[in-house]
Structure formats: structure tokens, C-alpha cells
Amino acid sequence: MRLVERAAWGAPATSPAAYLPSARGVKVHYLGSAYSSRAHSLCDDYVRKIRAEHLANAKENYVDIAYNAVVCEHGYVYEGRGLHKRTGANGNAELNGRDYAVCALLGSSGFTEPPDAMLAGLRDAIEWFRANGAAGDWVGGHKDGYATACPGAPLYAWVKAGAPRPGGTGGGSDGEDQYTVRAGDTLSGIARRLDLDWRELAKVNGLSEPYTVYVGQELDLPESGGGTQAPPYPGRSAFVLGRRHQAVTDLDRQLVRLGFTRHHDGNGYQPGPLFTAYTRRNIADFQRSRPELSNDPDGYPGPVTWELAHTLRR
Ligand SMILES: [Zn+2]
Ligand SMILES: [Zn+2]
């Protein structure tokens, strides 16, 4: 776990919040406001801003940041009130005494799809409360037992699935082209071991400085020349505007790899399961770039678009 202790992000070392002997479990939250994806170097600032806003909230009369932990999109776990401290975030005194509260730096608009690194960080936080904070097995969302949209549909779906560590179970059909990060791994170490170029490995996975990888993260491996195979075409029903499908995330990764990311909501184009108008326009750009596809650039991937998106080298 990448824990950022209170003192490291600029809070007093110990929270003045009330003692919590044990908890039923952990409630997951999101910000519930607009948020944009940002470089990790700006995450500390944002956590400080949350604490300042909570301290300034006269109605709630908070003694500290309300959450026990905050997790950024890069998978770092910021110590909030921390272990054995009663949260202020769950809605009322009874709920605050029942469960810990962990908040994802995820918006209700802008940056709304939790990336795998964030899910791994949330999972780290949950396991931290269980192992060191006497939290029980229960895991839920803020909305469980309280009238709120928090933690938002994409994150709540993950919570209801049992808050699984990404890459641990289920999902992709392309296991042979992936590597699951283990404890002690670094990007350059993995690249060396698998005889790959680390820059290529970073590019395929959309990583930029500081090139951090997380235990449990699944890295897509760069294709090594000819003979690359696309996974089976999932069918047109996987690509419906406004609907989610794992194949959309997969295709998005190829669009990012190939550089077709011009259309986005202002916060950059991110792989995710939702087929949006941006997805469609980026796919249309890709189709226009290929002679095989350019006479029908409708933005909906058929078998040829699917195949080429997976097998073309940049
Ligand atoms: Zn909440
Ligand atoms: Zn971060």
C-alpha cells in the first residue's frame, strides 16, 4: 500500500477525532462535485483543500477532514482521520460510529470512471482498516442507509461486486498479453524481466511520470512485431451509445495506444466501459485514417475496425 501519512501531506500528525474501538466495515465515498484528472504532484494540494473546506464548514462543525482515508486516481492512500477514529462523513452520528469512511478523488462530473490504480488503492485502504483498525468484513457505499448519490454509479457497482482488487478475478480474455504487478515490482524491473522496452510498456498502458505501478495492477504488454492477434470480436451489441461493455474499455486502450484521443470532455480521453459520443468520434477518426474503413467512418466498430485497432502498430 502506498500510504501518505498525515504529516506528509500537511495535517497535524494525529487527528483530534473521537476514538473508534471497532467498526462493522468500510463505506466508500466520492467527491460528489466536478473533478478533473490531474498529475499526482497535485493530489496533496487537493487533499489539503478538502480538509480546509471541512474545517470551515460551520454547519457540520468538523474537527478534522471528515474521511478516514482519501484515495487518489494514482492509487495512493492519504491518511485522513486514520485508524480507530470516528468518521464525520457517513451522514449521522449512528452511521459515523458504525463504519469507516474512505473517499475516492472521483467526481460526479468530469473524472467519473475509477481507474484500476484507484480501485487498487481503495482496496488497500479497506484491507488496512481490516488489518489494523478492527474493521469487519462489511463494505458498502455512502448511499447504503443514507439518501445520497454517493459514491456514484461506476464506483458503487464496484462496491456491490465486493470491492474486488482489479486484475484479481474475472474480466479480460487477453490474459496472455498482460502482466499482473507483484510486490516490489517497478516498471523498469518488469520491462527488464520480460525483455521489453520500458518506454513502450509505459506508452501501451498510458503511464506517464512518475511511472508508478501498483500491486495487482494489470499491465498490457506491447505487441512484439508480426503475428499479433486481436481478441474475438464481441459483436455490434457491445457498442451502443450510453451503454457499458468491457470491450469498450479494451478498444479505448487501443485508441489511446494509436493516438486517436482528440475528442473528450475536456479532461483528456480515458479508457472506460461507457460508449460515449467521444468514443464514437475517436473511433470515426481511426476509421478515416485507414483505407479499408474510410468509406464508412460511422464510429461504430465492426470486425475489421476491431481487428485493425488491435493489430496495427503505432
Ligand atoms: Zn459520501
Ligand atoms: Zn495522486
Side-chain angles (χ1 to χ4, degrees):
M1 175 168 87
R2 295 169 183 277
L3 180 67
V4 184
E5 292 179 1
R6 289 172 62 89
W9 60 267
T14 306
S15 173
Y19 181 69
L20 181 75
S22 64
R24 173 183 65 167
V26 181
K27 278 192 171 177
V28 176
H29 296 249
Y30 75 159
L31 293 166
S33 54
Y35 184 77
S36 352
S37 176
R38 63 199 64 209
H40 181 63
S41 55
L42 300 174
C43 291
D44 283 24
D45 253 359
Y46 204 89
V47 177
R48 278 194 293 278
K49 175 170 119 79
I50 295 173
R51 179 164 182 271
E53 284 174 0
H54 285 180
L55 287 173
N57 185 329
K59 177 167 157 272
E60 298 281 358
N61 197 26
Y62 290 126
V63 296
D64 194 6
I65 189 169
Y67 306 112
N68 296 94
V70 175
V71 174
C72 73
E73 67 194 275
H74 315 96
Y76 287 76
V77 179
Y78 287 82
E79 182 185 23
R81 293 187 178 194
L83 302 169
H84 288 297
K85 295 287 181 180
R86 177 187 281 254
T87 176
N90 286 342
N92 60 44
E94 189 193 340
L95 296 171
N96 288 338
R98 193 180 296 163
D99 298 302
Y100 283 105
V102 58
C103 183
L105 292 185
L106 191 70
S108 49
S109 63
F111 182 63
T112 58
E113 293 280 345
D116 281 357
M118 171 175 269
L119 298 179
L122 288 166
R123 181 75 205 176
D124 287 342
I126 290 166
E127 291 176 4
W128 182 53
F129 293 127
R130 288 178 182 172
N132 301 311
D137 284 343
W138 188 88
V139 60
H142 186 184
K143 68 191 288 179
D144 289 311
Y146 191 79
T148 171
C150 181
L155 196 51
Y156 191 62
W158 174 77
V159 167
K160 294 319 276 183
R165 185 169 291 284
T169 51
S173 51
D174 47 358
E176 286 176 14
D177 302 319
Q178 294 193 319
Y179 175 84
T180 303
V181 176
R182 295 183 296 230
D185 275 345
T186 61
L187 189 72
S188 56
I190 293 164
R192 235 186 345 263
R193 185 145 18 103
L194 301 178
D195 199 21
L196 299 166
D197 181 277
W198 73 268
R199 285 171 200 282
E200 186 76 0
L201 188 58
K203 193 169 79 184
V204 166
N205 290 283
L207 301 174
S208 52
E209 281 188 84
Y211 302 109
T212 316
V213 293
Y214 310 91
V215 175
Q217 182 178 3
E218 291 211 337
L219 294 177
D220 292 331
L221 302 184
E223 292 148 11
S224 46
T228 308
Q229 289 211 326
Y233 177 64
R236 286 179 192 273
S237 62
F239 307 104
V240 179
L241 271 178
R243 300 250 299 265
R244 287 167 202 282
H245 197 287
Q246 173 116 16
V248 179
T249 309
D250 186 355
L251 190 64
D252 276 343
R253 290 205 182 106
Q254 308 309 321
L255 291 171
V256 169
R257 182 177 68 85
L258 296 166
F260 292 92
T261 58
R262 195 156 64 93
H263 304 285
H264 55 76
D265 64 3
N267 295 304
Y269 191 68
Q270 319 250 356
L274 187 63
F275 192 92
T276 68
Y278 303 116
T279 318
R280 187 182 169 194
R281 282 189 238 157
N282 286 326
I283 292 168
D285 280 355
F286 171 63
Q287 291 171 329
R288 273 190 286 270
S289 78
R290 297 302 310 175
E292 305 92 317
L293 302 165
S294 58
N295 56 5
D296 185 22
D298 64 357
Y300 290 100
V304 179
T305 300
W306 176 261
E307 174 85 25
L308 282 175
H310 281 86
T311 54
L312 280 176
R313 306 218 60 200
R314 175 125 194 217

